[in-house]
């Protein structure tokens, strides 16, 4: 549980940056080389590599060397974990809100 | 777009901490006072208030003074934004993966 929590820390930390989210948005469309990823950003290759490393450490991205090119791709498990926690909170909140609605409605009926 | 991106930065940054996620998990069940929130954590009240402020700045939590008690509650809009971006990436990835499957299947048919 502690480990799971620590890994969610790293995932959300990695997503808390516009450039890193843009890298994820690009990789969602399919694998890409590091230089393909660097191209749209006005950023040095080391800068992009630093962001990539944060995404790799969080488990959101994997990279593999194919010949002389390093290819990056999405690791869906971490993406699903990030989605899972927040979806659980949103649905939990909606359930609480519905229950509150029911309570108010019943208390309204009693007032009649 | 820049503002939206900056607000997602703050939301994911706020969620990148186990104590702050635990506060969200508690508030999802219903509003709570600051001291109710502080109770389960072995943490000083100022420590909890600091985490609360991060959640409030990110728009995930709102607080209101009722008499002498400050009551905190979830702000669902920020929760939905955090969910929306990550769900979009996950479904985007699944679509790309399915397309790749189709391509591989077709190329397999051609090999026959």
């Amino acid at each position: 549980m502690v480990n799971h929590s620590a890994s969610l820390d790293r995932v959300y930390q990695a997503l808390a940056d516009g450039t890193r989210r843009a890298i994820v948005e690009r990789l969602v469309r399919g694998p890409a080389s590091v230089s393909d990823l660097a191209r749209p950003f006005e950023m040095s290759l080391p800068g992009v590599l630093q962001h990539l490393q944060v995404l790799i450490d969080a488990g959101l991205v994997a990279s593999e060397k194919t010949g002389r090119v390093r290819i990056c791709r999405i690791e869906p498990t971490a993406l699903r974990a990030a989605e899972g926690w927040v979806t659980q909170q949103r649905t939990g909140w909606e359930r609480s809100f519905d229950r509150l609605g029911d309570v108010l409605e019943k208390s309204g009926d009693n007032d009649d």
Side-chain angles (χ1 to χ4, degrees), chain A:
Chain A
M1 190 59 200
V2 171
N3 282 338
H4 178 63
S5 176
S7 81
L8 270 184
D9 284 8
R10 277 197 299 274
V11 169
Y12 288 127
Q13 184 65 59
L15 297 180
D17 179 277
T19 304
R20 290 197 292 266
R21 286 197 304 278
I23 293 175
V24 169
E25 286 169 2
R26 166 60 194 83
L27 290 178
V28 150
R29 305 202 316 264
S33 70
V34 174
S35 42
D36 279 344
L37 288 175
R39 204 160 300 135
F41 306 110
E42 288 177 5
M43 195 180 276
S44 66
L45 206 62
V48 171
L49 281 169
Q50 214 166 359
H51 281 307
L52 261 177
Q53 196 55 52
V54 177
L55 290 165
I56 290 169
D57 290 346
L60 283 159
V61 167
S63 84
E64 203 175 0
K65 211 148 185 187
T66 307
R68 292 172 64 184
V69 181
R70 181 163 291 281
I71 299 290
C72 303
R73 59 174 173 78
I74 287 291
E75 277 282 11
T77 312
L79 211 53
R80 284 195 195 109
E83 185 187 20
W85 184 86
V86 80
T87 298
Q88 204 176 346
Q89 306 317 311
R90 196 258 310 154
T91 54
W93 182 84
E94 283 175 359
R95 266 198 303 273
S96 304
F97 196 78
D98 289 346
R99 268 201 307 273
L100 182 67
D102 290 347
V103 169
L104 292 178
E105 203 172 307
K106 272 181 198 157
S107 104
D109 290 349
N110 290 342
D111 290 346
D112 292 340

